[in-house]
Amino acid sequence: MGQPEKPKRNMYALGCSCLASMTSIVSGYDVAVMSGANSLIKHDLKIDDTKIEILAGIINLYSIIGSIAAGRTSDWIGRRYTMILACSIFFVGALGMGLAPNYAILMVGRFAAGVGVGYAFMIAPVYAAEVSPASSRGFLSSFPEVFINFGVLLGYVSNFAFAGLPEHLGWRVMFGVGAVPPVFLALGVLAMPESPRWLVMQGRLGEAKAVLAKTSDTPAEAELRLSEIKEAAGIPEGCTDEVVPVPERSHGEGVWKELLITPTPPVRRTLLAALGLQFFQQASGIDSVVLYSLTIFEKAGLKSKTKRLGATVAVGFTKTSFILVATFLLDRVGRRPLLLSSAAGMIASLITLASVLLTIDRHPGEKLTWAVALCIATVLTFVGSFSIGLGPIAWVYSSEIFPLRLRAQGASLGASMNRMMSGAITMSFLSLYKAISLSGSFYLYAGIAAAGWVFFYVFLPETRGRNLEEMEELFGKASKSREKAEETGGVELVEGDEGESHDGRKD
């Protein structure tokens, strides 16, 4: 008679994921607050557009250091203390930026903040994925993106609130306020349990069992998760002691070699999926739109600064609203349908935005009210399309597909790709639109997003409802399917495993 009743949401796992994901607020806040601080810094410190471009985008390159270091750090000191470290580093950076007397010190503050952002980007999704039961992993693992968007909204509100302050104070207050959240976040993280998967990697089975009992939907699922994690960590099934010895590789030894030098076909495909997904998430231009939204609205013909700031707040509200919708759809609809529809919406929005801007360029001096309204509307549909699919799924997917022994470093590589592309895009945007026009820039982003849609359709299998320990088998099947298609001269189209249950449970 119909499908089995869906388990109730595990509130303990939800609380843990929520607290961990709040560390992402600071990264979203920094990106958005920079959009309002740009012009103030430029006039106060008397610097040119090139220095502003570097200042805005360099934090993403600095964050690569944090993303790479976070993988090894989190295997060494644990997921929880890595989050506290991230908060501490960002606190120092935000304080440094807020008190910076000149451009050089401001760059030092950006460096520290960037490293902290890199740590947060990598560790929050991994922790959320590792504490979540399979039935709600998509929902809980999307929380970091929810709080990134909440941070973006806070950044825009901060711009609006402090825009009236004297020039030399305005941008410093905007940055300095960013030092407040990390203090409370670090205290909150102390109340969380450690990741059960990390505890098993350390041989601390008793503690892991206690955490799994609280974060699983049923006692039977807790036992199943523990059994699968022990197998993935190389611990014999019969080991039931509170603390047991573990193989050396469970501490992260040889992981980089297995990931990059001698990967198996499933691991190679997993790495390609994670890197490709993170590449296209940023290469399609989302951070350029968020960071330079004031510039885009001004070029579109919105002359009033207050109206431009108000429009950016609308961008923040739209991003946050759509990401909240996405959190409830990930475990109901699945990753692939949301991802493909999201990318399609982004492509349509970018083409429309570019066409409207081209029309405005061809009618200089004319006030095209309809074009200004359509420009704002397409920016909103672009960020909304991003937030309902590609935004959260890049982090959910990358945090869940790697085998346990490779998860932290694999996720750190994905986060590094994300930050590298974000830095490249934001640091080149002003130069790009001066070279090929604003409309040309968005046509280019639309082309990249279209290539991303093809990549998602061909390379990314559905992962909804599967336990983390099943992912290597899933990507192994996908690799064999691809090899078979190449041998027969066909094209592989990954659509998940049809006919197999995706409710996350085994009969």
Side-chain angles (χ1 to χ4, degrees):
M1 290 186 40
Q3 294 183 342
E5 185 180 346
K6 187 173 181 181
K8 293 181 179 179
R9 190 82 67 193
N10 186 302
M11 300 307 294
Y12 187 77
L14 188 149
C16 292
S17 297
C18 195
L19 272 173
S21 302
M22 283 183 181
T23 58
S24 302
I25 288 177
V26 291
S27 54
Y29 178 86
D30 184 86
V31 171
V33 83
M34 194 66 198
S35 70
N38 275 341
S39 59
L40 300 177
I41 295 170
K42 181 179 178 180
H43 294 136
D44 183 37
L45 299 184
K46 311 271 189 302
I47 55 179
D48 57 25
D49 279 343
T50 301
K51 286 188 175 181
I52 284 292
E53 201 173 40
I54 293 171
L55 185 68
I58 198 70
I59 192 170
N60 296 304
L61 299 185
Y62 290 152
S63 67
I64 295 173
I65 299 171
S67 295
I68 293 176
R72 189 67 185 95
T73 305
S74 67
D75 278 348
W76 178 38
I77 65 174
R79 312 319 195 206
R80 192 172 62 142
Y81 286 115
T82 300
M83 283 184 269
I84 294 173
L85 179 62
C87 291
S88 304
I89 296 172
F90 194 88
F91 172 80
V92 172
L95 212 57
M97 290 187 290
L99 299 175
N102 53 47
Y103 185 78
I105 301 300
L106 185 56
M107 284 293 281
V108 172
R110 296 292 279 173
F111 174 77
V115 174
V117 165
Y119 267 91
F121 261 110
M122 178 267 156
I123 196 59
V126 168
Y127 179 88
E130 291 188 342
V131 299
S132 306
S135 62
S136 57
R137 192 177 60 247
F139 172 72
L140 298 179
S141 298
S142 65
F143 276 21
E145 185 69 16
V146 171
F147 285 106
I148 288 173
N149 282 277
F150 184 62
V152 167
L153 177 58
L154 289 180
Y156 284 142
V157 171
S158 174
N159 292 342
F160 193 82
F162 300 125
L165 291 176
E167 208 169 66
H168 70 286
L169 278 180
W171 65 269
R172 289 182 169 90
V173 172
M174 290 175 187
F175 284 131
V177 166
V180 177
V183 177
F184 294 99
L185 292 175
L187 294 175
V189 170
L190 285 172
M192 293 163 27
E194 183 51 83
S195 157
R197 286 173 169 85
W198 183 82
L199 290 170
V200 172
M201 288 168 64
Q202 308 306 306
R204 292 155 61 178
L205 301 186
E207 294 174 62
K209 188 174 182 179
V211 176
L212 286 169
K214 293 180 179 180
T215 59
S216 299
D217 292 328
T218 64
E221 187 192 7
E223 289 295 328
L224 176 62
R225 288 173 70 187
L226 180 61
S227 175
E228 290 175 337
I229 298 169
K230 283 164 64 177
E231 182 182 353
I235 297 174
E237 177 66 28
C239 283
T240 57
D241 295 340
E242 293 286 305
V243 179
V244 300
V246 291
E248 278 299 309
R249 71 173 187 174
S250 293
H251 293 281
E253 303 301 328
V255 167
W256 291 116
K257 180 181 179 182
E258 188 174 354
L259 262 178
L260 301 174
I261 301 174
T262 58
T264 61
V267 169
R268 186 184 302 114
R269 186 182 179 86
T270 301
L271 185 61
L272 175 64
L275 294 181
L277 185 52
Q278 296 286 10
F279 171 87
F280 284 112
Q281 194 220 44
Q282 287 298 324
S284 51
I286 184 64
D287 276 1
S288 289
V289 172
V290 172
L291 185 58
Y292 294 107
S293 52
L294 283 172
T295 302
I296 294 167
F297 293 143
E298 183 178 9
K299 294 292 180 183
L302 202 61
K303 301 303 180 185
S304 166
K305 184 178 180 181
T306 302
K307 288 182 179 178
R308 290 199 303 271
L309 285 169
T312 61
V313 173
V315 171
F317 270 114
T318 302
K319 279 183 105 283
T320 304
S321 300
F322 276 83
I323 187 66
L324 289 173
V325 173
T327 61
F328 292 99
L329 294 178
L330 277 165
D331 290 315
R332 290 175 170 83
V333 177
R335 283 49 157 169
R336 275 175 62 84
L338 278 180
L339 190 57
L340 295 173
S341 57
S342 165
M346 291 169 63
I347 295 165
S349 299
L350 286 167
I351 291 174
T352 305
L353 177 60
S355 300
V356 172
L357 290 170
L358 184 61
T359 302
I360 292 172
D361 283 343
R362 289 178 175 176
H363 295 80
E366 295 184 38
K367 187 175 181 180
L368 303 176
T369 305
W370 67 267
V372 175
L374 188 54
C375 179
I376 295 172
T378 50
V379 168
L380 296 181
T381 59
F382 173 67
V383 299
S385 296
F386 176 86
S387 291
I388 206 166
L390 184 53
I393 289 172
W395 299 108
V396 172
Y397 207 85
S398 297
S399 65
E400 69 184 1
I401 59 177
F402 286 100
L404 175 61
R405 65 189 182 280
L406 309 175
R407 187 168 300 135
Q409 281 86 341
S412 75
L413 284 177
S416 298
M417 172 62 80
N418 184 284
R419 295 298 83 203
M420 180 174 70
M421 288 312 303
S422 178
I425 293 295
T426 53
M427 289 174 69
S428 64
F429 180 73
L430 294 177
S431 302
L432 182 67
Y433 96 68
K434 287 177 182 177
I436 65 173
S437 79
L438 202 55
S439 59
S441 301
F442 289 116
Y443 279 128
L444 176 62
Y445 291 151
I448 294 171
W453 191 97
V454 174
F455 177 85
F456 306 149
Y457 185 74
V458 173
F459 283 97
L460 305 187
E462 181 59 73
T463 59
R464 177 172 65 101
R466 293 181 178 273
N467 289 324
L468 295 181
E469 284 65 43
E470 295 178 293
M471 296 300 175
E472 193 167 8
E473 179 186 354
L474 172 64
F475 278 84
K477 288 179 181 178
S479 296
K480 289 177 183 177
S481 173
R482 182 170 179 78
E483 289 170 7
K484 188 175 181 180
E486 289 173 350
E487 287 172 4
T488 58
V491 178
E492 173 210 21
L493 299 178
V494 177
E495 298 183 25
D497 293 330
E498 306 224 355
E500 188 173 343
S501 170
H502 289 286
D503 63 358
R505 309 207 180 286
K506 297 182 178 180
D507 294 331

